């Protein structure tokens, strides 16, 4: 390990996700283990520009591994998108004596880190934190497993009332550009149909599937809809269309919204965050920069930030086939 780096900063940026606090804890305690100073930056890039820094020690991150959200807060920052804003951020880091930056967030946050590195040669490492699981270079992102379990738990509860009243529920989950959450939750909760951005089911096929389910004896149904699905209608429009064409169904819509982001992280996310935090700090100490930490085949790996940003996470084609078989 290189001992040239003496002070590292960590921040969370973009949408919060369960496991971010566990990752902060891991970064801070890995720094302490290697006798490196660590500072936290409040409110992401906005705090970087405002100079909102706080010293962090092993004890300052006690009892946060089980908490959702992020103790360092998060914020959108338009000013960091400008050269002037990034210049102020760079001066603040130099003034504080910080020599490297760890950014926990999604592709937007990584884009900012990559540009910052290109302009100033400043060492940066990214840790992927987003419930959408849509970052290239990692099988899982922090928060995805927790959100998935939250969604399945909620759908299980919705199915209870759907069965009691012989209803069809459209359940919208997050996933503007990727359907990982909808697909896995749909299979896990036994949904009759799953609508995702990667596949256009088509309105007619949706009607045929629901009518087939009704004729086969199903008295209630669940359709899981990713918010970025390509079927052609928003979730309320879908409900209206089906209600008009299949009047035998009593239809309801449930938009899960931000409850998917909250809650205590699962054990999987806590362990993953701990592993990623250690890898991020030790990669910096080894002289590496402009990488994202990820996990593939249960091994912690590094992916260049530009590939993580530009690459596309692939939907599991085999799981799509499984979902088709399960809807019979």
């Amino acid at each position: 390990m290189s001992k040239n780096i003496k002070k590292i900063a960590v921040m969370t940026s973009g949408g919060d996700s369960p496991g971010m606090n566990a990752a902060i804890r891991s970064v801070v305690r890995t720094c302490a283990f290697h006798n490196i100073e660590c500072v936290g930056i409040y409110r992401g890039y906005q705090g970087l520009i405002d100079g909102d820094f706080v010293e962090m020690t092993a004890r300052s991150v006690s009892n946060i591994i089980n908490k959702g959200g992020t103790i360092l807060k998060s914020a959108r920052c338009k000013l960091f998108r400008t050269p002037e804003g990034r210049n102020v951020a760079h001066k603040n880091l130099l003034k504080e004596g910080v020599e490297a930056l760890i950014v926990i967030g999604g592709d937007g946050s990584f884009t900012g880190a990559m540009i910052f590195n290109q302009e100033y040669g400043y060492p940066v490492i990214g840790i992927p934190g987003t419930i959408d699981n849509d970052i290239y270079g990692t099988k899982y992102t922090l928060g995805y497993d927790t959100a998935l379990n939250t969604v399945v738990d909620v759908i299980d509860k919705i199915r209870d009332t759907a069965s009691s009243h012989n209803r069809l529920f459209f359940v919208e989950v997050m996933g503007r550009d990727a359907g990982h959450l909808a697909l896995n939750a749909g299979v896990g909760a036994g949904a009759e149909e799953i609508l995702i951005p990667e596949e256009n089911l088509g309105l007619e096929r949706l009607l045929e599937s629901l009518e087939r389910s009704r004729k086969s004896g199903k008295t209630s149904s669940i359709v899981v809809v990713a918010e970025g699905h390509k079927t052609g209608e928003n979730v309320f429009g879908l409900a209206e269309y089906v209600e008009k064409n299949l009047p035998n169904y009593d239809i309801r819509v449930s938009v899960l919204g931000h409850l998917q982001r909250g809650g205590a992280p699962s054990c999987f996310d806590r362990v993953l965050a701990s592993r990623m935090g250690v890898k991020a700090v030790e990669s910096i100490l080894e002289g590496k920069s402009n990488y994202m930490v990820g996990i593939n085949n249960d091994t912690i790996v590094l992916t260049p930030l530009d590939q993580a940003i530009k690459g596309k996470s692939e939907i599991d084609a085999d799981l799509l086939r499984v979902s088709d078989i399960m809807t019979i």
Side-chain angles (χ1 to χ4, degrees):
M1 295 279 177
S2 168
K3 296 301 178 183
N4 294 328
I5 299 290
K6 299 297 182 184
K7 198 170 190 179
I8 293 174
V10 60
M11 71 180 200
T12 51
S13 175
D16 64 287
S17 63
M20 281 185 165
N21 280 328
I24 293 167
R25 173 181 179 269
S26 178
V27 168
V28 172
R29 291 195 169 177
T30 305
C31 284
F33 179 83
H34 290 288
N35 296 313
I36 304 295
E37 289 184 71
C38 186
V39 298
I41 302 171
Y42 283 114
R43 298 175 295 113
Y45 289 117
Q46 188 63 54
L48 194 54
I49 291 173
D50 294 341
D52 199 356
F53 296 12
V54 61
E55 181 183 355
M56 304 191 80
T57 67
R59 298 287 72 80
S60 65
V61 290
S62 297
N63 302 318
I64 69 169
I65 193 171
N66 60 321
K67 298 185 184 303
T70 163
I71 64 166
L72 290 178
K73 312 297 183 182
S74 187
R76 310 290 182 181
C77 181
K78 293 183 179 179
L79 188 55
F80 192 79
R81 298 177 184 177
T82 68
E84 294 78 14
R86 294 191 293 273
N87 183 49
V88 172
H90 184 242
K91 287 180 179 178
N92 284 337
L93 287 168
L94 295 181
K95 179 182 177 182
E96 190 69 25
V98 176
E99 299 168 275
L101 178 64
I102 294 174
V103 178
I104 307 169
D107 55 1
S109 303
F110 293 162
T111 299
M114 183 180 69
I115 293 172
F116 193 63
N117 171 265
Q118 291 170 347
E119 290 180 342
Y120 295 99
Y122 199 87
V124 295
I125 293 287
I127 295 176
T130 167
I131 68 168
D132 289 342
N133 203 42
D134 59 350
I135 304 294
Y136 177 82
T138 185
K139 178 70 173 176
Y140 302 108
T141 58
L142 295 183
Y144 169 66
D145 183 73
T146 304
L148 186 58
N149 282 285
T150 297
V151 171
V152 169
D153 184 56
V154 172
I155 294 176
D156 285 348
K157 291 177 170 61
I158 289 174
R159 187 177 288 281
D160 289 344
T161 192
S163 300
S164 298
H165 295 275
N166 294 342
R167 283 174 176 158
L168 163 62
F169 268 85
F170 284 89
V171 181
E172 184 186 86
V173 303
M174 286 184 173
R176 189 183 306 112
D177 301 308
H180 301 285
L181 193 60
L183 178 58
N184 283 269
V187 172
E192 278 64 42
E193 284 297 344
I194 304 167
L195 307 182
I196 58 176
E198 293 86 350
E199 184 182 60
N200 188 350
L201 181 65
L203 291 171
E204 293 310 310
R205 186 187 151 189
L206 175 62
L207 292 178
E208 290 171 5
S209 174
L210 292 173
E211 183 64 6
R212 185 170 60 249
S213 293
R214 189 184 67 82
K215 288 181 177 179
S216 72
K218 291 184 179 180
T219 58
S220 64
S221 293
I222 301 288
V223 177
V224 177
V225 183
E227 60 183 331
H229 74 95
K230 299 294 194 296
T231 307
E233 303 270 352
N234 64 34
V235 67
F236 294 100
L238 280 174
E240 289 177 7
Y241 182 83
V242 172
E243 194 167 37
K244 183 187 299 182
N245 288 274
L246 298 177
N248 290 322
Y249 274 112
D250 183 15
I251 299 175
R252 296 291 186 276
V253 173
S254 184
V255 178
L256 302 192
H258 285 80
L259 73 83
Q260 298 162 86
R261 281 191 181 176
S266 65
C267 180
F268 180 88
D269 275 329
R270 298 182 198 191
V271 174
L272 181 60
S274 300
R275 296 177 69 185
M276 285 182 169
V278 171
K279 183 68 172 180
V281 172
E282 294 187 344
S283 294
I284 287 173
L285 296 181
E286 290 167 358
K288 294 183 174 66
S289 176
N290 216 27
Y291 285 96
M292 180 198 75
V293 179
I295 184 168
N296 281 311
N297 298 318
D298 201 34
T299 300
I300 302 297
V301 297
L302 294 177
T303 298
L305 277 181
D306 63 335
Q307 291 183 23
I309 294 164
K310 296 176 183 177
K312 182 175 176 59
S313 63
E314 298 293 333
I315 204 75
D316 189 334
D318 187 60
L319 192 57
L320 274 173
R321 180 172 174 272
V322 169
S323 71
D324 287 340
I325 294 172
M326 292 298 103
T327 59
I328 191 168

